[in-house]
Amino acid sequence: MDISDSNAALPAPARLVATGMAIHAAVYVRQSERRTTGSEASTAAQREECLKAMQQWAVPPTRVEVYEDLGVSAFKNVARPAYEQLLRDVRAGRINVIVVHYMSRLSRKTAMETFDQLRPLLMNRVRIVSVGEHREFHADNQIALMELLFKLQANHEESLNKSLAIKAAKALEAGLGGYTGKAPFGFTLVHETRMAADGRPVNVKVLTPDAEHEAPIVRRIVEIVETWITTGDPSGSCWKIARQLEAEGHLTRGKRSAQQRPDALWEAKTVKRILTDPRIAGFACEGLYGFRPDGSPSNKIVEYRIIRDGNGDPVSAYPPIVSPQRWRRVQEWLMNRHPGGGDWQGRPSGVLSAMKLLYCECGALMTHGGSGAKKHYRCRRRAVKPGQHTGEVTIGAKGVEEYLARRVLAMVAASRSDGAAVTVLANASTRYARDQEQQESEQVTKERDALLAERSDLRHARQQHHADKRRIMLNGGFADDVARDEWDETEQLLADRMVTLDARIARLENSTRLELPRSVWLPRDGSDPIGPGSWWALATRNDKRAFLRLFLDRVEVRKAYRHAGRGVPAGSRVSITWAGGVNLDDPRNAGQLPGIV
Ligand SMILES: [Zn+2]
């Protein structure tokens, strides 16, 4: 049998066309680097190739959705948000064809690992189409599946070999004093040829202070801090340093190299990262990575640890930009400013921080600052553009947080049945269900996969059974009444099993379909929904954020002109865009507004 023939022509997923089922296609694209490295096509190019191939299909898809993972490897164990969403949509029956440029986009893990992952998809009668390889994979074609296994193993081994080769080369370079990462701020990489132990010349990159551009900026930052230390000025902060660097016209690396982030401005966290980097004092160090809220390791360095020798002394590895003594003084200043140290990113402490929700009227994000009763959110605009507000825009943290909580809880309590509010509640429900689905236990997922696979097998069996009958009828009908009864009995059996199975699937769906837990959020006795003892008052910051995220898309703050800001009710300065882009304060939605409790 010629394997290539089993699958060669690929006008459209054959069986779907034969059964007349509507094609709900998902195009999955992925790129491991954010920039095109040359070794793999950009996600835009992948998408284009897939869509182009789909135009050749005899039956056009009813719906096409694109799932994109950018800057995500399929070789390492990292989260792939779009891929996870794709799996969920397949399980929910929203997708029946997955289209990829090459199978390596879906996975670079071992064949067995990947097959375990893809099996539930294929069992759900999904077809996977690789347009670059001209292949279609589905559970009914055993030969194509075997071919898929070989292909996946080849993809994995290619990645493994590449990864091992890169590791070995990095180890050799490091052993010869080379630097294998991206140069930290203040430094540049200088190419040098050094001799390996076996006499072979090796091209290494040596970390060298960037005397022309970045090292002077590092020294300037340290000088600014030293002035504050000397004069005893307690008002200094990394944010102030960032503003001063802007004022003095120093360029960030992004702006100077004009490559990835040509608009990059100085930010407090950048300044802090530079100041805490032991390499500017010439010390060898390693970065410690943080964790995401879900507990998985993040790719952000949260702390630098100095590498020490046998005596516990720091290992000097690079020419220092500032002396170790000066660097230590600066560290002390930083520690005193941020008691508890460690958390040098300055963890945002406001409910509305780090959720990309609160914006100033000028379009800039607002971030949290201040302490005690003076906690506020402030516009982080860097440069005034024509027509924008002058001066700062700030709003009291407590006021705006409580205003938003009241508005949302009033919406939940009112459960209005009119247009705009219904849209918001429906969107919030969908978001809530998705949140819960993401936390759904693996066991439920497995059970559902098993039930759906069983159901699709059963449907297959019934189709065969009916095909048998058609063949019998074409050949002159059943031989006798016994044969007819046997056919009817089997039909009844299959139908009964289908009913039982559907009931089990429905039960499982019901146990996982979730209504908004209104009774949890609202006080039972009709008391103040954010008062003492209320859900809001007791909720953690993350719970509050997740709650607001369900209902709100964007909150915009206007500058308080007439009064100095204080005493002006938050509500009079805030515009809310509700879930799904709904504006309830729009006059067209007037009269549908749940009032403020
Ligand atoms: Zn602003």
Side-chain angles (χ1 to χ4, degrees):
M1 185 179 193
D2 185 354
I3 291 178
S4 63
D5 266 347
S6 72
N7 225 322
L10 201 80
R15 176 171 286 270
L16 291 173
V17 173
T19 57
M21 194 191 281
I23 299 176
H24 295 280
V27 173
Y28 178 72
V29 296
R30 179 184 65 78
Q31 197 183 358
S32 52
E33 307 270 349
R34 282 189 188 275
R35 284 170 297 164
T36 312
T37 56
S39 65
E40 55 181 42
S42 73
T43 49
Q46 292 174 36
R47 186 169 47 225
E48 200 178 313
E49 288 295 325
C50 292
L51 295 177
K52 207 166 73 190
M54 289 164 79
Q55 280 169 11
Q56 310 295 316
W57 290 4
V59 178
T62 311
R63 191 164 54 93
V64 180
E65 208 161 322
V66 178
Y67 296 72
E68 172 172 336
D69 277 322
L70 197 52
V72 179
S73 164
F75 177 62
K76 297 170 195 155
N77 275 319
V78 292
R80 292 198 274 156
Y83 182 70
E84 302 297 329
Q85 185 62 49
L86 173 64
L87 294 189
R88 283 195 295 276
D89 288 349
V90 166
R91 285 200 195 96
R94 288 192 279 268
I95 301 292
N96 54 17
V97 179
I98 298 172
V99 184
V100 290
H101 190 207
Y102 282 92
M103 285 307 288
S104 61
R105 295 306 90 202
L106 269 185
S107 174
R108 282 188 176 277
K109 294 191 174 177
T110 68
M112 284 326 288
E113 273 176 298
T114 309
F115 204 62
D116 272 350
Q117 250 182 359
L118 296 186
R119 205 174 36 172
L121 271 60
L122 294 164
M123 295 299 265
N124 282 340
R125 294 294 186 236
V126 164
R127 272 135 216 289
I128 302 174
V129 175
S130 163
V131 302
E133 287 144 321
H134 296 285
R135 283 289 176 277
E136 179 186 338
F137 305 101
H138 53 87
D140 294 342
N141 188 338
Q142 299 295 326
I143 289 168
L145 285 185
M146 260 161 62
E147 198 192 333
L148 171 65
L149 276 172
F150 283 116
K151 185 153 274 310
L152 291 170
Q153 191 61 27
N155 288 341
H156 171 71
E157 276 164 18
E158 184 195 297
S159 291
L160 187 66
N161 290 339
K162 211 154 76 178
S163 159
L164 290 176
I166 290 170
K167 264 190 198 145
K170 277 189 175 173
L172 177 65
E173 284 179 43
L176 294 171
Y179 193 84
T180 53
K182 194 177 137 198
F185 192 88
F187 292 89
T188 180
L189 294 169
V190 174
H191 290 263
E192 268 185 36
T193 304
R194 293 191 176 170
M195 292 299 164
D198 58 6
R200 191 158 51 96
V202 177
N203 194 349
V204 298
K205 285 168 268 175
V206 181
L207 200 61
T208 314
D210 176 11
E212 196 184 340
H213 301 291
E214 295 182 357
I217 300 175
V218 173
R219 290 198 199 95
R220 178 69 192 129
I221 294 173
V222 171
E223 270 170 29
I224 294 170
V225 174
E226 284 172 338
T227 314
W228 289 330
I229 296 173
T230 312
T231 58
D233 181 351
S235 76
S237 71
C238 290
W239 187 79
K240 272 196 166 181
I241 297 174
R243 298 288 63 75
Q244 193 157 343
L245 292 175
E246 288 293 339
E248 293 176 8
H250 297 291
L251 300 182
T252 58
R253 182 181 283 184
K255 213 167 197 179
R256 183 170 53 79
S257 61
Q259 283 171 356
Q260 267 181 294
R261 300 178 57 209
D263 303 327
L265 292 158
W266 285 102
E267 287 182 45
K269 65 179 182 197
T270 316
V271 170
K272 203 162 190 179
R273 194 178 61 229
I274 294 169
L275 278 176
T276 52
D277 189 340
R279 288 168 292 196
I280 65 173
F283 297 137
C285 71
E286 57 187 351
L288 299 182
Y289 292 87
F291 293 92
R292 295 194 176 92
D294 67 359
S296 67
S298 83
N299 55 4
K300 283 221 170 74
I301 291 175
V302 291
E303 196 187 323
Y304 293 111
R305 184 171 292 169
I306 296 177
I307 297 172
R308 293 171 188 278
D309 63 16
N311 297 323
D313 295 324
V315 174
S316 288
Y318 321 107
I321 295 173
V322 294
S323 72
Q325 293 78 5
R326 290 175 72 192
W327 183 75
R328 287 211 177 84
R329 271 184 88 197
V330 171
Q331 302 312 300
E332 221 162 281
W333 174 81
L334 276 168
M335 287 295 275
N336 290 335
R337 284 194 46 76
H338 303 276
D343 201 4
W344 58 268
Q345 290 256 10
R347 189 177 292 276
S349 55
V351 171
L352 305 174
S353 300
M355 56 185 294
K356 293 223 160 92
L357 179 71
L358 193 67
Y359 291 84
C360 173
E361 61 172 44
C362 72
L365 263 173
M366 297 186 83
T367 58
H368 194 254
S371 58
K374 290 188 174 167
K375 280 186 182 164
H376 60 264
Y377 294 96
R378 177 174 59 185
C379 165
R380 301 309 302 269
R381 181 188 61 185
R382 300 298 150 71
V384 187
K385 290 189 186 122
Q388 288 185 348
H389 65 82
T390 52
E392 296 205 341
V393 172
T394 61
I395 190 165
K398 192 162 176 271
V400 67
E401 287 167 11
E402 291 190 355
Y403 171 73
L404 293 176
R406 283 189 191 284
R407 284 295 302 269
V408 173
L409 285 162
M411 154 78 72
V412 173
S415 309
R416 302 288 297 238
S417 57
D418 41 31
V422 166
T423 309
V424 174
L425 286 167
N427 285 328
S429 293
T430 308
R431 288 179 189 182
Y432 183 72
R434 198 176 299 153
D435 285 355
Q436 299 300 310
E437 201 182 337
Q438 270 169 18
Q439 292 164 15
E440 179 183 277
S441 75
E442 205 172 317
Q443 205 191 334
V444 173
T445 310
K446 271 195 180 141
E447 195 179 341
R448 179 182 317 147
D449 283 343
L451 287 175
L452 289 175
E454 206 180 318
R455 188 178 195 280
S456 104
D457 285 344
L458 191 56
R459 203 168 53 203
H460 200 63
R462 278 186 88 181
Q463 278 167 356
Q464 296 259 310
H465 194 53
H466 284 265
D468 286 350
K469 185 177 180 180
R470 277 197 298 278
R471 201 167 46 245
I472 291 166
M473 298 319 273
L474 277 176
N475 290 330
F478 286 102
D480 50 30
D481 286 350
V482 177
R484 180 187 297 275
D485 286 352
E486 266 178 12
W487 190 93
D488 287 345
E489 250 171 62
T490 309
E491 169 62 13
Q492 192 57 48
L493 195 73
L494 291 172
D496 288 350
R497 271 175 60 193
M498 190 66 115
V499 170
T500 315
L501 205 53
D502 279 344
R504 281 174 65 194
I505 292 169
R507 245 198 326 274
L508 193 69
E509 289 298 322
N510 283 335
S511 72
T512 55
R513 180 175 305 145
L514 289 140
E515 300 295 325
L516 291 173
R518 292 190 162 96
S519 58
V520 173
W521 295 329
L522 297 168
R524 242 162 262 177
D525 52 5
S527 58
D528 183 358
I530 66 170
S534 65
W535 175 84
W536 178 263
L538 300 173
T540 65
R541 195 170 58 202
N542 279 341
D543 285 347
K544 288 178 180 172
R545 284 179 181 163
F547 171 72
L548 293 176
R549 193 33 96 212
L550 296 177
F551 296 89
L552 306 178
D553 276 359
R554 184 185 168 99
V555 175
E556 203 171 285
V557 176
R558 285 181 292 278
K559 185 173 167 72
Y561 282 104
R562 260 173 283 170
H563 312 273
R566 239 161 250 285
V568 180
S572 69
R573 299 179 51 198
V574 168
S575 311
I576 299 174
T577 308
W578 295 81
V582 175
N583 178 7
L584 290 177
D585 302 330
D586 189 310
R588 277 167 297 174
N589 294 325
Q592 307 182 343
L593 252 171
I596 296 167
V597 180

